[in-house]
Amino acid sequence: MSVDTVSLTGWGRTAPTTAVRFRPRTYEEAATVVRGRGPRGAIARGLGRAPGDAAQNAGGSVLDMTGLARIGAVDPVAGTVRCEAGVRLDRLLRVLLPLGWFPPVLPETGRVTVGGAFGSDVHGRNHREAGSFARHVSALELLTADGEVRTVLPGTAFFDATAGGLGLTGVILSATLRLRRVASSLMSVSTERADDLDDLLARFTAGGDRLPYASAWVDLLARGRATGRGIITRGEHAPPLVRPAHDRRILRAPRTGTAGGRGLPAAGLLSLPDGPLGRASAALYNEVRYRSAPRARTGEPRPVPAFFHALDALPGVNRLHARGGLVRYRFVVGYGQEETLHRVVRRIAAHRAPALRAVLQRFGAADPGLLSFPAPGWTLALDLPAALPSLARLLDGLDEEVAAAGGRVCLAADSRMRPETAAAMYPRLAEFRELREALDPTGAFRSDLSRRLGL
């Protein structure tokens, strides 16, 4: 097991802190770290894709779990596979697709570990149909505060506290995932353009759930009549095609340097007139992206990675905001609270924040995790430059809007929320704290986020 002292940040590259990093290769090595933890405790870390400080632990220990990355054989009868916590989802996808299997939930990046996906209870574009990641886990192996390994099953309080619990109940060592059968390694994709936010919501709703995967990019720099305009993308797993040549592209990632092989090249994005990444260049990019999208197109075959993980083809996309990194703001408000969504979009547009990434989705039923983020309603995720003037005041104001509407901000993406705001948004937080105290009375598992929000 290797050990070093490093400065760590989340994917947003804000608030670096220093910790001792351990890289265990066995369960026994991970247990040794937990048993020998110091007064600042320990936290597990995967690939560091959480935008905020959920996988940092200032002055304490961090367990880099990427060395535990074995994938077991698929059980074709049960439709399951057992994966160690450090398995990357994009690697898992490459293994499963040729066998005709597919993970039921994929987040927007494949560069997430299985342990990180469960600890954050990530969601995909098909949440209305499939729920979040933890719903498809049939068993966990969890290293607890006493250094012992426990099997944790769905339907138990321990499982619900760990799903979306951000590593604060223990170190996830492995998970058994339920899979879905697919007949092809291609997606059939439909795209349509919406003139403004009202049009976007109407098209989203009118489309229903005829295609299970759906999301929309929103132009948050558009103002006036175009405020909230965007592009809706829907998809379904394609049937076997007559032209098998397409299938030879199935696992080929989008060409590096382009956003999914479409739109403005990444190199051009990084060298626009006002550098990385000012309002003028962001506005130009958004205009090109919107105008180049078809008004309506159906049935386009697209490789799975290009549909689900297009941004993974952009190297260093989290460095577009060179000074100070980026802040991800992800929130959800319930159906019937569309006016709150309108107000939030108008406030961001009026602030003229250079937001390239803004993704709108619909959520279905809430998931059982005590701190799981999804709830029925509309969710919007956007990235903003951390150095943006008055950003803290803007986001504090948006927190108030969201909380007043009964919504919540995603803890796994957060890097700046106040503890009283988190408590107001997550009604089961007190239950989580009580259970965590019973499971881990000495505070073995801690992180910068848990200290900041009092989790």
Side-chain angles (χ1 to χ4, degrees), residues 5-227:
T5 300
V6 292
S7 178
L8 297 171
T9 71
W11 192 73
R13 301 187 304 113
T14 59
T17 56
T18 300
V20 179
R21 178 175 58 186
F22 299 83
R23 291 190 174 98
R25 297 286 176 176
T26 65
Y27 290 6
E28 292 76 16
E29 289 181 349
T32 297
V33 176
V34 170
R35 293 191 188 105
R37 66 189 179 271
R40 298 286 285 181
I43 196 71
R45 181 182 177 94
L47 294 166
R49 294 291 292 202
D53 52 2
Q56 297 170 225
N57 185 22
S61 301
V62 170
L63 287 87
D64 181 330
M65 300 300 291
T66 55
L68 289 164
R70 286 168 291 198
I71 301 174
V74 173
D75 182 336
V77 177
T80 61
V81 64
R82 179 182 172 277
C83 304
E84 289 187 330
V87 171
R88 291 170 55 136
L89 294 187
D90 54 2
R91 176 175 164 237
L92 180 63
L93 188 62
R94 288 194 298 271
V95 170
L96 293 177
L97 267 181
L99 303 176
W101 294 99
F102 195 81
V105 172
L106 281 178
E108 59 201 347
T109 173
R111 295 168 185 169
V112 175
T113 62
V114 167
F118 189 90
S120 299
D121 201 13
V122 297
H123 62 272
R125 299 187 190 189
N126 60 335
H127 187 271
R128 283 174 61 84
E129 175 192 78
S132 58
F133 190 86
R135 195 180 295 186
H136 304 277
V137 172
S138 58
L140 285 178
E141 285 185 293
L142 192 72
L143 176 63
T144 53
D146 55 8
E148 300 299 319
V149 177
R150 299 190 191 184
T151 299
V152 182
L153 301 177
T156 64
F158 205 171
F159 188 95
D160 291 347
T162 305
L166 304 169
L168 298 174
T169 62
V171 178
I172 298 168
L173 298 173
S174 74
T176 300
L177 312 179
R178 289 187 293 270
L179 307 173
R180 65 175 293 174
R181 275 283 191 187
V182 292
S184 167
S185 298
L186 289 174
M187 302 297 294
S188 178
V189 181
S190 298
T191 307
E192 57 184 311
R193 208 163 70 188
D195 297 330
D196 57 28
L197 187 57
D198 281 328
D199 187 29
L200 190 64
L201 299 183
R203 288 174 183 270
F204 233 133
T205 304
D209 298 316
R210 57 186 176 82
L211 299 181
Y213 302 97
S215 66
W217 168 77
V218 184
D219 182 358
L220 292 178
L221 283 168
R223 292 188 293 178
R225 292 182 178 180
T227 299

Side-chain angles (χ1 to χ4, degrees), residues 380-396:
L380 180 64
L382 56 140
D383 291 342
L384 298 168
L388 188 71
S390 305
L391 179 63
R393 191 187 328 161
L394 171 66
L395 296 184
D396 284 347

Side-chain angles (χ1 to χ4, degrees), residues 107-406:
E108 59 201 347
T109 173
R111 295 168 185 169
V112 175
T113 62
V114 167
F118 189 90
S120 299
D121 201 13
V122 297
H123 62 272
R125 299 187 190 189
N126 60 335
H127 187 271
R128 283 174 61 84
E129 175 192 78
S132 58
F133 190 86
R135 195 180 295 186
H136 304 277
V137 172
S138 58
L140 285 178
E141 285 185 293
L142 192 72
L143 176 63
T144 53
D146 55 8
E148 300 299 319
V149 177
R150 299 190 191 184
T151 299
V152 182
L153 301 177
T156 64
F158 205 171
F159 188 95
D160 291 347
T162 305
L166 304 169
L168 298 174
T169 62
V171 178
I172 298 168
L173 298 173
S174 74
T176 300
L177 312 179
R178 289 187 293 270
L179 307 173
R180 65 175 293 174
R181 275 283 191 187
V182 292
S184 167
S185 298
L186 289 174
M187 302 297 294
S188 178
V189 181
S190 298
T191 307
E192 57 184 311
R193 208 163 70 188
D195 297 330
D196 57 28
L197 187 57
D198 281 328
D199 187 29
L200 190 64
L201 299 183
R203 288 174 183 270
F204 233 133
T205 304
D209 298 316
R210 57 186 176 82
L211 299 181
Y213 302 97
S215 66
W217 168 77
V218 184
D219 182 358
L220 292 178
L221 283 168
R223 292 188 293 178
R225 292 182 178 180
T227 299
R229 69 182 181 179
I231 304 165
I232 304 174
T233 305
R234 296 185 175 92
E236 63 182 338
H237 293 280
L241 296 181
V242 175
R243 293 181 296 169
H246 283 299
D247 272 349
R248 289 198 291 270
R249 299 185 302 147
I250 60 174
L251 294 180
R252 187 181 305 163
R255 182 166 53 88
T256 298
T258 63
R262 292 168 173 78
L264 196 63
L269 177 62
L270 289 167
S271 59
L272 283 168
D274 52 348
L277 173 70
R279 288 172 178 163
S281 56
L284 175 59
Y285 174 85
N286 284 6
E287 184 69 24
V288 171
R289 180 172 183 177
Y290 180 76
R291 295 296 176 189
S292 63
R295 283 214 165 267
R297 179 172 58 200
T298 60
E300 176 197 6
R302 197 178 297 179
V304 162
F307 179 76
F308 286 98
H309 302 146
L311 283 180
D312 285 350
L314 288 175
V317 68
N318 62 329
R319 296 181 179 274
L320 289 177
H321 304 295
R323 186 165 57 92
L326 62 86
V327 171
R328 176 161 299 171
Y329 191 72
R330 187 193 297 272
F331 69 93
V332 60
V333 291
Y335 297 117
Q337 295 292 335
E338 286 77 10
E339 182 51 40
T340 300
L341 181 61
H342 274 273
R343 286 197 299 271
V344 169
V345 169
R346 287 196 296 267
R347 288 181 69 168
I348 296 169
H351 207 81
R352 304 298 290 156
L356 290 183
R357 181 190 174 281
V359 179
L360 181 71
Q361 294 173 258
R362 299 170 77 204
F363 280 159
D367 296 287
L370 300 184
L371 298 185
S372 289
F373 168 62
W378 298 97
T379 178
L380 180 64
L382 56 140
D383 291 342
L384 298 168
L388 188 71
S390 305
L391 179 63
R393 191 187 328 161
L394 171 66
L395 296 184
D396 284 347
L398 298 187
D399 285 349
E400 293 176 6
E401 293 264 12
V402 170

